[in-house]
Coordinates of all heavy atoms in Angstrom, one line a residue:
Y7 N -4.5 1.3 24.0 CA -6.0 1.0 24.0 C -6.2 -0.5 23.7 O -5.2 -1.1 23.2 CB -6.7 1.9 22.9 CG -6.1 1.7 21.5 CD1 -6.7 0.8 20.6 CD2 -5.0 2.4 21.1 CE1 -6.1 0.6 19.3 CE2 -4.4 2.2 19.8 CZ -5.0 1.3 18.9 OH -4.5 1.2 17.7
T13 N -3.2 -5.2 24.1 CA -3.0 -3.8 24.2 C -2.2 -3.2 23.0 O -1.1 -3.7 22.7 CB -2.2 -3.4 25.5 OG1 -3.0 -3.9 26.6 CG2 -2.0 -1.9 25.6
T24 N -11.3 18.7 10.9 CA -12.4 17.8 11.1 C -12.3 16.5 10.3 O -13.1 15.6 10.5 CB -13.7 18.5 10.9 OG1 -13.8 18.9 9.5 CG2 -14.0 19.6 11.8
D81 N -9.9 -6.4 13.4 CA -10.1 -5.9 14.7 C -9.1 -4.8 15.1 O -9.5 -3.8 15.7 CB -10.0 -7.0 15.8 CG -11.2 -8.0 15.8 OD1 -12.2 -7.6 15.2 OD2 -11.0 -9.1 16.3
G165 N 26.1 -11.0 -21.4 CA 26.0 -10.2 -20.2 C 24.7 -10.4 -19.5 O 24.4 -9.7 -18.5
E185 N -7.2 -15.2 -12.5 CA -8.6 -15.2 -12.2 C -8.9 -16.1 -11.0 O -9.9 -16.0 -10.4 CB -9.4 -15.7 -13.5 CG -9.2 -14.8 -14.7 CD -9.9 -13.5 -14.5 OE1 -10.8 -13.4 -13.7 OE2 -9.4 -12.5 -15.1
A202 N -12.5 5.5 -3.1 CA -11.1 5.3 -2.9 C -10.3 6.0 -3.9 O -10.7 6.1 -5.1 CB -10.7 3.8 -2.9

Side-chain angles (χ1 to χ4, degrees):
Y7 56 99
T13 299
T24 58
D81 286 342
E185 297 296 329

